[in-house]
Amino acid sequence: VQLVESGGGLVQPGGSLRLSCAASGFAFGRTDMSWVRQAPGKGPEWVSAINSGGRATYYADSVKGRFTISRDNAKNTLYLQMDSLKPEDTAVYSCASGTSIAHMQGNDYLSRGQGTQVTVSS
């Protein structure tokens, strides 16, 4: 299993970023997926999830209305569009696979990538 994130960087408050996660080594199109973030000195925080078919999406209250999760099963790629970014969104963002949406909302994952740094600062 390999999950490789990209697209992070430094952005000003109110700005946008689009993260990507390239997946390989497992049946991506049949696997529920999530984005997880971890800020310095804090534990992992589940951010968003999408079911295997891409028709059901879920968001943490802290990002609802600002972030959009999507996937392209033909390309084995997961995305996270982040708009209206805030300084408190600063963290390492990782993609993760799980046995179910409920498990991932409880920070129980099968695999998790190394992550990409997102820094929101003026």
Side-chain angles (χ1 to χ4, degrees), residues 52-83:
S52 58
R55 295 187 177 186
T57 58
Y58 308 83
Y59 299 93
D61 288 343
S62 58
V63 306
K64 198 171 294 182
R66 300 187 297 120
F67 290 11
T68 304
I69 190 171
S70 62
R71 66 191 295 162
D72 185 337
N73 286 346
K75 295 182 178 180
N76 280 9
T77 303
L78 180 73
Y79 303 100
L80 185 68
Q81 176 66 42
M82 305 187 295
D83 299 317

Side-chain angles (χ1 to χ4, degrees), residues 26-48:
F26 66 105
F28 178 78
R30 294 200 298 271
T31 305
D32 297 338
M33 298 292 296
S34 278
W35 285 98
V36 184
R37 67 186 181 186
Q38 188 159 10
K42 295 187 177 181
E45 176 190 9
W46 172 80
V47 173
S48 181

Side-chain angles (χ1 to χ4, degrees), residues 7 19 23 25 42 56 58 61 73 76 85 87 109-110 118 120-121:
L19 306 184
K42 295 187 177 181
Y58 308 83
D61 288 343
N73 286 346
N76 280 9
L85 283 161
Y109 309 102
L110 288 175
V118 171
V120 184
S121 175

